[in-house]
Amino acid sequence: MEPLGMAATAVPDAGPGPGWQSKCPWGAPKPASISCSLAEVMSEQLAKELQLEEENAAFPEVVAVAEGPFITGENIDTSSDLMLAQMLQMEFDREYDAQLRREEKKFNGDSKVSISFENYRKVHPFDSDSSEDEVDWQDTRHDPYRADKPTTTPKKGFIGKGKDITTKHDEVVCGRKNTARMENFAPGFQVGDGIGMDLKLSNQVFNALKQHAYSEERRSARLHEKKEHSTAEKAVDPKTRLLLYKMVNSGMLETITGCISTGKESVVFHAYGGNATEDDKVIPPECAIKVFKTTLNEFKNRDKYIKDDYRFKDRFSKLNPRKIIRMWAEKEMHNLTRMQNAGIPCPQVVILKKHILVMSFIGQDQVPAPKLKDVKLNSEDMKKAYYQTLNMMQQLYKECNLVHADLSEYNMLWHDGKVWLIDVSQSVEPTHPHGLEFLFRDCRNVSQFFQKGGVAEALNERELFNAVSGLNITADNEVDFIEEIEALEKRNEDHVQNHGKKVSTFSSDGDPPIYDE
Ligand code: ADP
Ligand code: MN
């Protein structure tokens, strides 16, 4: 008997894992030697997992049940009640699933339409795989198997008289009672036929099992609930779904409630954060999950943003399209982090997994904050929003060394009485070959929006451009202005060509960027 999960475990020691792992009767997982990059390991792992998922129809070939109710085997450590109970439970779950599968097969026969019994299975397919991700998350999540604090029973209640008083602390009585009480576990939790036997469970074992039963039930509910949102899920491919499942399964996210937005290049979901922590970071109570679409054609027209971004230049040529899409997600993460560090109101990054970026949710109770284009602000708030936007654009340029490059009332949210910037995957550094043109476009959007919105103080696009960049372009009409911008960009490009490095954008005292040679 070789349980799948354990055999597949090839994970570098991830620090102090849950206690049961080290006591595992099938031995400690083999330490793997990593000969390639983390990214490669992860995608290989993912491929394996996907295969496993497909194969899970064949999952437990398992369990030609041994003669007795107990496992016999010389090397199996049965000294611990807890371990024994877990092994029995695991054994039972697998047996139950095997039976279920037989019934499912019989039920469906050769019919083209089949009914899946998967929801009733005890062993969840994702429990049987173990990837690096999984272990990372599991280490921090609550583990029902982890040795409990000793349970103290309050001192009350006894049976018998005189010398024969037995209190509820009596091991035998208590053990039998615990065994009987197993029946009252979460509804539908299969406790096996232990009830019929004269088993005596210690309080510790009983409590551990009970806790396991409840957490199992909650998790099942979560998974089922997720399935019901499958319309949103259909928007994402199986690999993405698997990654999302894992986030929920690991306890990092509590539930993914639904889809907030489906764009050409990304799908955004709302989720409630779980209790698990990532690198000691507390997961925000509500999260937004931005899934960058892996359908490549939508991204073709965005090449220019990333291809010419100096930060990504070296990497671009070597990458396949799938990796380029991950780079969008990575870019958004880096840009958000820069903005966060500068104190610009924006989503806080929670975690990046491949092409999926989890961040804090701007909004409340599943309702995303409205875009500036959708919210009706009074003139006072409008003016406030304008000055704040001006400020943020300057901060973005000077402190973050970034140009948003898609700034408009569509990517500004109104929340908590202020403007929040989102959607920064395409943001670039000002020295990007088209950086200043992007900035000018941003300025035009912002200026037009606030001028139309009745903010008399709002600078026009050219004034705004100079105010943000610190440049002093004097052209008084748009055509000439853009010509000057392009000339600056060209000079900068030539400089890069000739000197092999970009010019520094700012001098230390915050003066205008130096584009001279
Ligand atoms: P796209 O590239 O598809 O425009 P965005 O990042 O702008 O991607 O996200 C699309 C929409 O999803 C936004 O307009 C906003 O309504 C919503 N959204 C994105 N991120 C968040 C967030 N962190 N909190 C709340 N809503 C968000
Ligand atoms: Mn957007």
Side-chain angles (χ1 to χ4, degrees):
M1 178 186 67
E2 176 151 271
L4 286 166
M6 292 306 174
T9 307
V11 176
D13 187 8
W20 65 274
Q21 235 174 9
S22 55
K23 278 192 273 170
C24 174
W26 298 286
K30 276 189 225 107
S33 56
I34 297 177
S35 58
C36 49
S37 77
L38 179 66
E40 278 165 328
V41 170
M42 282 171 66
S43 41
E44 217 172 276
Q45 197 83 43
L46 187 70
K48 262 190 226 154
E49 283 152 16
L50 281 168
Q51 204 183 345
L52 203 70
E53 190 190 17
E54 274 159 26
E55 285 170 3
N56 71 25
F59 180 38
E61 306 281 84
V62 192
V63 204
V65 186
E67 280 70 58
F70 292 104
I71 294 157
T72 52
E74 293 85 65
N75 298 327
I76 296 171
D77 171 20
T78 52
S79 59
S80 149
D81 278 358
L82 179 60
M83 183 55 72
L84 194 61
Q86 282 168 4
M87 282 158 58
L88 282 168
Q89 184 65 54
M90 214 186 299
E91 219 36 33
F92 177 80
D93 286 351
R94 287 178 196 285
E95 209 181 312
Y96 177 89
D97 283 355
Q99 179 61 27
L100 193 66
R101 205 170 315 280
R102 281 191 290 274
E103 276 170 30
E104 183 179 347
K105 218 169 182 173
K106 202 167 129 198
F107 186 87
N108 288 320
D110 292 332
S111 168
K112 282 199 179 112
V113 182
S114 64
I115 308 279
S116 167
F117 288 9
E118 196 189 296
N119 282 355
Y120 300 98
R121 261 194 273 153
K122 294 289 146 199
V123 182
H124 299 289
F126 297 117
D127 286 1
S128 58
D129 74 17
S130 56
S131 69
E132 241 162 301
D133 313 1
E134 198 73 339
V135 169
D136 283 345
W137 295 340
Q138 274 176 349
D139 279 348
T140 51
R141 84 180 212 226
H142 173 71
D143 182 352
Y145 287 154
R146 196 170 292 165
D148 278 334
K149 299 178 219 105
T151 8
T152 49
T153 329
K155 282 191 178 162
K156 53 177 180 177
F158 57 89
I159 45 170
K161 272 182 184 168
K163 274 199 296 184
D164 297 327
I165 282 179
T166 31
T167 68
K168 67 195 293 182
H169 305 294
D170 179 273
E171 241 178 83
V172 176
V173 172
C174 183
R176 288 207 179 106
K177 260 195 200 151
N178 282 344
T179 307
R181 277 155 65 198
M182 285 207 305
E183 276 178 298
N184 300 328
F185 277 176
F189 186 79
Q190 301 293 322
V191 293
D193 55 0
I195 309 280
M197 294 183 279
D198 191 19
L199 294 177
K200 297 160 210 78
L201 295 182
S202 74
N203 278 338
Q204 198 200 356
V205 175
F206 175 78
N207 285 334
L209 278 175
K210 185 166 140 189
Q211 212 172 13
H212 173 67
Y214 283 126
S215 71
E216 193 67 5
E217 188 199 25
R218 278 201 305 275
R219 189 174 43 173
S220 272
R222 276 211 296 259
L223 289 174
H224 293 189
E225 195 176 333
K226 271 210 80 225
K227 285 214 175 80
E228 270 145 34
H229 289 289
S230 56
T231 34
E233 267 177 32
K234 281 192 188 108
V236 301
D237 61 301
K239 282 177 206 216
T240 306
R241 213 174 317 157
L242 182 62
L243 288 165
L244 292 176
Y245 265 127
K246 283 182 165 191
M247 291 182 187
V248 175
N249 230 0
S250 71
M252 191 189 86
L253 297 177
E254 180 63 35
T255 45
I256 298 173
T257 60
C259 180
I260 309 169
S261 149
T262 321
K264 272 198 286 184
E265 290 139 0
S266 73
V267 186
V268 180
F269 296 96
H270 171 275
Y272 283 108
N275 326 320
T277 52
E278 277 284 331
D279 305 331
D280 290 334
K281 225 192 305 178
V282 177
I283 314 284
E286 292 185 74
C287 296
I289 307 170
K290 186 165 179 178
V291 177
F292 289 76
K293 280 197 183 168
T294 42
T295 40
L296 300 166
N297 45 357
E298 304 295 351
F299 276 93
K300 282 204 183 107
N301 60 349
R302 299 181 77 178
D303 272 10
K304 66 169 186 281
Y305 290 97
I306 207 162
K307 204 165 60 193
D308 299 330
D309 190 324
Y310 292 98
R311 293 174 294 166
F312 296 87
K313 205 161 191 147
D314 293 340
R315 293 162 63 189
F316 189 85
S317 55
K318 299 178 200 125
L319 292 171
N320 68 34
R322 196 179 299 286
K323 286 193 178 151
I324 291 170
I325 282 161
R326 284 192 209 159
M327 251 160 91
W328 285 105
E330 198 184 314
K331 219 155 105 67
E332 176 133 31
M333 177 187 70
H334 286 309
N335 293 341
L336 282 175
T337 308
R338 281 195 198 183
M339 291 161 70
Q340 191 88 151
N341 290 341
I344 296 173
C346 67
Q348 188 193 333
V349 173
V350 176
I351 197 178
L352 173 76
K353 288 271 166 187
K354 304 196 181 213
H355 57 292
I356 302 176
L357 180 66
V358 182
M359 55 190 147
S360 63
F361 180 71
I362 313 302
Q364 212 188 340
D365 299 332
Q366 299 186 40
V367 183
K371 299 178 184 65
L372 225 44
K373 82 165 178 73
D374 292 325
V375 76
K376 195 91 204 88
L377 296 182
N378 61 35
S379 58
E380 196 189 327
D381 278 343
M382 198 67 172
K383 196 169 139 183
K384 194 170 130 191
Y386 166 71
Y387 279 111
Q388 195 207 327
T389 304
L390 170 62
N391 244 314
M392 290 194 296
M393 288 177 83
Q394 289 177 326
Q395 272 183 293
L396 197 61
Y397 191 92
K398 298 212 163 87
E399 292 171 38
C400 308
N401 196 29
L402 284 175
V403 170
H404 187 292
D406 194 13
L407 191 63
S408 73
E409 59 275 25
Y410 288 79
N411 284 325
M412 294 192 262
L413 305 184
W414 182 253
H415 178 64
D416 254 1
K418 61 183 169 192
V419 180
W420 298 65
L421 296 188
I422 60 162
D423 200 1
V424 291
S425 63
Q426 72 294 312
S427 301
V428 295
E429 301 198 342
T431 48
H432 180 287
H434 303 289
L436 295 180
E437 290 164 77
F438 297 149
L439 177 62
F440 185 70
R441 199 175 58 191
D442 285 355
C443 290
R444 188 163 46 200
N445 290 338
V446 167
S447 176
Q448 279 176 5
F449 175 76
F450 286 104
Q451 283 181 343
K452 277 189 193 147
V455 180
E457 296 88 341
L459 299 173
N460 73 34
E461 61 247 43
R462 295 185 303 274
E463 293 164 335
L464 185 57
F465 179 93
N466 284 337
V468 170
S469 66
L471 292 164
N472 190 22
I473 299 180
T474 49
D476 59 357
N477 66 80
E478 184 165 322
V479 175
D480 292 346
F481 201 92
I482 291 176
E483 223 165 70
E484 275 195 52
I485 287 175
E486 284 171 354
L488 277 179
E489 287 175 342
K490 179 142 195 332
R491 266 160 73 189
N492 190 48
E493 263 303 271
D494 291 346
H495 180 95
V496 174
Q497 295 295 321
N498 297 335
H499 297 83
K501 61 179 197 306
K502 63 172 175 167
V503 288
S504 83
T505 13
F506 312 112
S507 58
S508 53
D509 53 3
D511 276 352
I514 302 147
Y515 284 96
D516 298 339
E517 278 153 53

